[in-house]
Amino acid sequence: MTQTLSSLARMTLRQLRQVASELGVALYSRKTKEELVSAIGERQADLSSVEQEYSSPPAGNADTRVVFLPRDPQWAYVFWEISEADRQRAFKDGASQLCLRVADVTGISDGGVHPHTLQEVPVDSHATEWYLPVPLSDRDYRVELGYRIGGGGWISLAFSSVARVPALHPSEQILDQFVPFSLDTPVSAQAAPQTLPSHDSGLHERLYQTATIRSRSMGRGSEAFHELEGAEGAGLNPSGAGVWASGRNESGAGGVGQRQRAFWLVADAELIVYGATDPSARLSIGGEEVPLSSDGTFRIQVPFRDGAQVYAIEAIASDGEQKRNITLNFDRSTPEDNSNPSDQAVAEWF
């Protein structure tokens, strides 16, 4: 605290030296009482000017703003500032309760919000920060700061930026991407799909069941290898190669004459349809209702057979007033099918 020269003059030499030491006056122990009074006065004046230069502006001059920061999939941190002018204007208009309004704005770019998703959270009138529970994860939210009026009205002060709340669990969507690959051909020639001669086959459903039901999975680290159960899988090692791959038989000796083996192959494809809509909506595919996850996502996985497959997808809002739809057409053909299941394998000499 700044002291006047008259009060400094009434101090003893010891007291002045103590004040000079606290203020950082150089060589204070060698100065006389008059020199100490003058040096302390100058030092206090310098400190006062520095404090005025670097002091922060009063809180009442700050602009009104609110910031929304997701903390984790279940909680978010909100902090705000209210200018004194906005606060006085709100009280003059009848403000009674300071509140935060949390709105789900996922997929909306025109400033609107999803119906029935607005939540109002009362906060302390003198608070400047708050933790909010998040209704649903993996969604976009915006916070509005304002006052509730006693008669039921609302005074809006500021909006936060839109922020994405992270998902609670890893994504359930599996986006498989298959690329033809061969060690015998250059990379540039592998991108173009091969055109095979036309041939029709009706074994798809049976082959699909054979490939998906009669096999079991054996995990290796982050990869998965498959081997067939039963007699048809005998002789396969974990990499999928049989005992013939190295030119050895079951006893370990290499075969030098003709050998006999039944060979077979099964292959098919699956179709994955996925998407998302409002969690409260009703979704149907081809007229059949499809359940939604808690965040509004859906995913179906079905066999992809030859011929045309049509998926008419429609979402209806909970109040029945809004609808969205999309129709997906898929067409598959199998130009060549020289495969056979294990129970139809024929022993061949080679």
Side-chain angles (χ1 to χ4, degrees), residues 73-155:
Q74 297 177 327
W75 289 92
Y77 174 67
V78 181
F79 65 91
W80 61 89
E81 291 179 328
I82 304 176
S83 67
E84 189 62 28
D86 289 342
R87 190 186 301 272
Q88 295 297 332
R89 190 181 303 110
F91 287 147
K92 183 179 179 181
D93 294 338
S96 61
Q97 176 64 59
L98 183 63
C99 296
L100 298 173
R101 285 186 170 181
V102 187
D104 187 338
V105 296
T106 307
I108 299 178
S109 57
D110 58 356
V113 300
H114 287 285
H116 314 299
T117 62
L118 187 65
Q119 294 190 6
E120 187 174 290
V121 180
V123 298
D124 294 340
S125 58
H126 298 289
T128 58
E129 59 182 356
W130 209 263
Y131 280 97
L132 293 176
V134 178
L136 286 175
S137 61
D138 199 21
R139 307 285 291 178
D140 294 331
Y141 291 95
R142 184 187 64 204
V143 172
E144 179 183 5
L145 176 68
Y147 281 100
R148 168 67 65 184
I149 302 177
W154 174 258
I155 301 175

Side-chain angles (χ1 to χ4, degrees), residues 41 44 50 87 160 180 253 305 344:
Q44 287 179 340
V50 171
R87 190 186 301 272
S160 73
R305 307 181 183 87
Q344 295 183 9

